Amino acid sequence: MAKITAAEVNNLRKTTGAGMMDCKNALVEAEGDFELAIEILRKKGQKVAAKRADRESSEGAAIAKVNADSTSGVIISLNCETDFVAKNESFVSLANDLAALALGYDTKEAFLAADFNGLSVQEKLTEQTGVIGEKIEIGGFAKLSAPYVGYYIHAGNKIATLVGLSAVVDGADVAAKDVAMQAAAMNPVALNEEGVDQSVIDKEIEIAKDQLRQEGKPEAMLDNIAKGKLKRFFKDNTLVNQDFIKDSKQSVAQYVKSVDAGLTVTGFRRVALG
């Protein structure tokens, strides 16, 4: 039997992230063959992943990153099963490393196939499932491009948002972060009225009409009153029309214009866990 040194075990642990005993056992099984030991650990991960495929992975870390010139951003959520794992320093570090890699890819599928230190991202997730013993997967994946992109990550990494602005101006960084915080806190359904799906509008009108009928309002008045309620829905649920949380006397759109008269919000993305 090959003699396994502590240095070899430590090297395998650093390469794979697996526990010390798992690394030692894999090296013993592989009779000291480093590459074979990695394969053994990977197969262990695949077995654990198969066993836990139907488990709920609603915990994790939502991480946002923007590129060097703040013109493109990405959010990913690295999902796991328990809050204990989600708060683990190495898990959050992996989520950050994966988010940095995700900046270079436009789709979740392309990102999962991307190289991550010699493994595909998907293979790395399978490996980590074996290491951690929980289902690990990429949940959310969202990209945004604009003349200026800012981001916000809520405490505990449970919500991450991106916001795009129409121009690079003095104060764009603060404005983008403020609006990204707004999107995290208020969870708007769309950027503006035009972005609300027609099915959502139809449903809101129908709900409003049902309420009015129950209040005994005449059928002839329902359309006009329902339209008024729909305007209120847009104000409460579309980002640029919402009251700005730091100053409710102005809307988000008005706040952004106070930074620069020509400035507008061009888009946002939001990924939340739980």
Side-chain angles (χ1 to χ4, degrees), residues 22-54:
D22 286 336
C23 289
K24 183 178 179 182
N25 291 338
L27 281 164
V28 169
E29 186 180 336
E31 297 183 343
D33 186 320
F34 190 79
E35 294 303 321
L36 182 56
I38 291 175
E39 193 61 34
I40 288 166
L41 287 171
R42 199 174 299 162
K43 284 178 179 174
K44 181 196 171 196
Q46 288 168 351
K47 287 177 184 175
V48 175
K51 285 179 183 176
R52 305 192 77 81
D54 60 346

Side-chain angles (χ1 to χ4, degrees), residues 75-95:
I75 306 172
I76 67 156
S77 67
L78 182 62
N79 291 31
C80 58
E81 296 176 31
T82 65
D83 193 45
F84 176 77
V85 168
K87 290 178 177 175
N88 183 279
E89 191 176 317
S90 61
F91 181 85
V92 176
S93 177
L94 176 62

Side-chain angles (χ1 to χ4, degrees), residues 70-143:
S70 298
T71 57
S72 180
V74 68
I75 306 172
I76 67 156
S77 67
L78 182 62
N79 291 31
C80 58
E81 296 176 31
T82 65
D83 193 45
F84 176 77
V85 168
K87 290 178 177 175
N88 183 279
E89 191 176 317
S90 61
F91 181 85
V92 176
S93 177
L94 176 62
N96 274 281
D97 290 345
L98 289 171
L101 178 65
L103 270 171
Y105 298 88
D106 291 331
T107 67
K108 183 176 174 179
E109 292 71 28
F111 167 58
L112 288 172
D115 178 75
F116 184 83
N117 299 331
L119 299 177
S120 72
V121 170
Q122 185 58 65
E123 287 170 341
K124 183 66 179 178
L125 298 176
T126 301
E127 176 197 272
Q128 289 301 298
T129 294
V131 170
I132 294 169
E134 288 191 9
K135 181 178 180 179
I136 308 295
E137 64 180 350
I138 298 297
F141 180 96
K143 293 292 295 275

Side-chain angles (χ1 to χ4, degrees), residues 179-219:
V179 179
M181 287 176 69
Q182 173 95 20
M186 302 306 291
N187 192 17
V189 300
L191 177 66
N192 50 32
E193 296 96 322
E194 291 77 24
V196 180
D197 193 89
Q198 188 59 46
S199 64
V200 174
I201 294 172
D202 293 343
K203 185 179 177 184
E204 286 301 316
I205 289 174
E206 204 48 53
I207 289 170
K209 285 183 176 180
D210 284 346
Q211 289 173 341
L212 292 167
R213 287 187 188 105
Q214 288 171 25
E215 292 168 11
K217 295 287 192 296
E219 197 70 26

